[in-house]
Amino acid sequence: MTSSPTLRLPSAGPAEITVQDHDRTRTFLLLHGGGGVATMAGFADLLAERTRSRVLLPTHPGFNGTPKAAGLTDVTALAKAYIALLDHLDVSDVTVVGNSFGGWLAAEIALLHSPRVSRAVVVDGIGIEVAGHPLADVRGKTVAEIQQFSFHDPAKAPVPPAGRTGPSPDVVALVGYTGPAMTDPTLAERLGKADIPIHVLWGESDRIADPRYGEAYAAAIPGATFTVLPRTGHLPQVETPEELLGAVLAFDT
């Protein structure tokens, strides 16, 4: 089922979010990264079918040609929109799983301390600043170029749309939330206020944000668990979905 509720946010006004809803029992909120919702869709199907869970897969406003409310100007504003979505759906005991930009977003959601969210999984997240381990600069790069940084085995990368040679429109939407640096210098310190269980998962071959960056991410979060996924790059849900599923479910039990 796909719906597009319009939510009224105290600070941002009305915001429409398109959501795929695999409606079962236990609830997961999956948050995609700069590659767009397609990078998470297959994993959403796998998670729903394997666990018989309710899996929510929103498209971040502004991605995939969807409308974006003027008030959604940064990652925190989008995190608040997703809390409003969970309130609208009246769900509880939610596990938030986010990849890349979605990992940053999952961390921001955890910091909002909603009683509806019980745990979070940050998968190759971005957002913090780590000395000596900068994020790869993907601005201006084509989808094919970004894939070379994103996969342990680039042969497993999806074929980019025919005829597209410039930057992905979704990367443009991403920068609209994150700013050009795709980091927040306050995030690492703010992560110290997280008070729910958080599991940080990282592909050993990630060249967007290397594993040392992932270690620093986990170290900033009180009590966080850090796990490296072998033979995996920046997009475990695409490249090694079974391994990611196992890691997510081991943390969720």
Side-chain angles (χ1 to χ4, degrees):
M1 178 181 69
T2 299
S3 63
S4 300
T6 298
L7 311 171
R8 296 202 170 271
L9 310 177
S11 59
E16 180 179 320
I17 301 177
T18 300
V19 187
Q20 297 177 37
D21 187 348
H22 303 250
D23 190 355
R24 303 289 172 78
T25 52
R26 187 170 46 169
T27 302
F28 290 86
L29 174 64
L30 301 188
L31 304 171
H32 66 79
V37 71
T39 64
M40 194 64 84
F43 186 73
D45 290 339
L46 177 66
L47 180 60
E49 292 305 316
R50 195 68 61 82
T51 67
R52 313 302 293 175
S53 297
R54 183 178 192 180
V55 179
L56 305 173
L57 177 59
T59 299
H60 306 323
F63 282 74
N64 199 34
T66 57
K68 178 183 177 183
L72 294 178
T73 56
D74 57 27
V75 187
T76 301
L78 185 56
K80 291 177 179 177
Y82 284 132
I83 294 298
L85 175 66
L86 299 181
D87 290 341
H88 173 79
L89 296 173
D90 193 24
V91 292
S92 60
D93 194 25
V94 177
T95 299
V96 181
V97 182
N99 169 241
S100 190
F101 168 61
W104 178 356
L105 187 53
E108 294 284 5
I109 289 172
L111 292 174
L112 293 175
H113 308 292
S114 168
R116 297 185 183 276
V117 177
S118 57
R119 59 191 68 81
V121 183
V122 174
V123 183
D124 296 81
I126 64 171
I128 65 171
E129 295 180 345
V130 181
H133 297 272
L135 295 173
D137 187 354
V138 300
R139 292 171 294 169
K141 290 184 169 57
T142 66
V143 173
E145 290 170 334
I146 294 172
Q147 287 175 344
Q148 294 297 314
F149 287 84
S150 301
F151 284 83
H152 173 80
D153 179 3
K156 293 184 178 181
V159 177
R164 178 179 292 171
T165 57
S168 164
D170 283 346
V171 172
V172 176
L174 169 67
V175 174
Y177 286 108
T178 66
M182 298 190 189
T183 61
D184 178 347
T186 73
L187 179 58
E189 181 178 356
R190 290 190 294 112
L191 287 174
K193 298 179 181 179
D195 60 0
I196 60 173
I198 298 178
H199 194 177
V200 179
L201 300 173
W202 225 264
E204 68 171 355
S205 302
D206 190 347
R207 294 173 56 211
I208 298 290
D210 67 33
R212 293 293 297 276
Y213 185 97
E215 290 176 4
Y217 221 116
I221 302 169
T225 303
F226 180 66
T227 301
V228 174
L229 300 173
R231 300 175 300 281
T232 304
H234 190 65
L235 301 170
Q237 73 276 14
V238 176
E239 189 166 22
T240 54
E242 291 286 350
E243 288 79 357
L244 177 61
L245 179 66
V248 168
L249 296 184
F251 175 64
D252 197 58
T253 53

